[in-house]
Amino acid sequence: MSRIAKRPLPIPAGVTVQVGEGSVTVKGPKGELTQAIHPDIKVSVDGNAVTVTRPSDEPRHKALHGTTWALLRNMLEGVTQGYQRVLEIHGVGYKAELQQNAVRVSVGFSHPVTYQAPPGIKLSVEGSTVIRVEGIDKALVGKVASEIRKIRPPEPFKGKGIRYQGERVRRKAGKTGAKA
């Protein structure tokens, strides 16, 4: 992971990066993110770029180097463009509706399930079968999308359930029903 992390990360216009004791804060047009940094890894701002350096070539330091670089890249992209995940609901009678910053999903249970979004996440429903999860923190957007998907994951026989947009569900053949 360490070869790509040797490259400096360019800081986009309108974004400020502050390196503190054990953390890095990135402020941009969409918001502010803070990330804790391992004490062995050094992060520095050189003009219009952020560089990440490691103390040695131990495998542990190489892994921390690449991980820190990727986290900083995700933070820089998040405060400028933001992240989104799109979920689709498949199934007869399955639907979603928005309630303030919560989504209420009817997916075949005896009751509708309500999922309250954490701070920093914006939920929207398009039609009644598409849920859009948006935010500036890539990890939090992915976590919220996976938690909504866990309400009713797609099943392999008919493909009903909540799935990511573009996700392919492997279908199984059902019972043949032949009697001996």
Side-chain angles (χ1 to χ4, degrees):
M1 188 77 215
S2 59
R3 284 193 302 189
I4 194 167
K6 290 180 181 178
R7 295 188 308 189
L9 287 164
I11 299 174
V15 176
T16 60
V17 178
Q18 295 176 337
V19 179
E21 188 64 36
S23 68
V24 174
T25 302
V26 178
K27 293 180 187 176
K30 289 195 175 256
E32 176 180 338
L33 291 172
T34 302
Q35 177 68 46
I37 302 297
H38 194 275
D40 290 347
I41 302 299
K42 303 293 181 236
V43 177
S44 60
V45 178
D46 303 325
N48 216 14
V50 178
T51 56
V52 182
T53 56
R54 63 177 182 249
S56 70
D57 282 340
E58 291 180 30
R60 183 174 66 98
H61 287 149
K62 285 183 176 182
L64 285 170
H65 187 209
T67 300
T68 304
W69 186 86
L71 289 171
L72 289 173
R73 183 192 59 201
N74 291 342
M75 290 169 64
L76 290 170
E77 187 176 332
V79 297
T80 55
Q81 299 168 358
Y83 290 100
Q84 72 174 358
R85 289 301 301 253
V86 180
L87 299 161
E88 298 172 340
I89 301 174
H90 290 271
V92 177
Y94 288 11
K95 63 181 180 176
E97 53 192 29
L98 193 63
Q99 297 177 337
Q100 285 141 8
N101 202 26
V103 66
R104 185 179 174 136
V105 183
S106 300
V107 286
F109 297 124
S110 61
H111 58 284
V113 179
T114 303
Y115 181 83
Q116 183 68 38
I121 294 294
K122 179 179 175 272
L123 295 175
S124 59
V125 176
E126 299 166 7
S128 62
T129 60
V130 177
I131 303 170
R132 188 175 301 274
V133 181
E134 297 176 277
I136 61 172
D137 188 354
K138 185 176 186 177
L140 187 59
V141 168
K143 179 182 176 207
V144 168
S146 73
E147 288 174 352
I148 293 173
R149 184 182 181 273
K150 279 184 195 173
I151 294 171
R152 175 72 91 175
E155 53 96 13
F157 296 103
K158 292 186 179 178
K160 299 187 328 182
I162 303 172
R163 64 177 80 167
Y164 298 117
Q165 186 177 42
E167 178 183 2
R168 298 182 77 122
V169 177
R170 280 189 65 187
R171 303 289 292 271
K172 291 183 178 179
K175 293 182 179 179
T176 58
K179 294 187 178 185

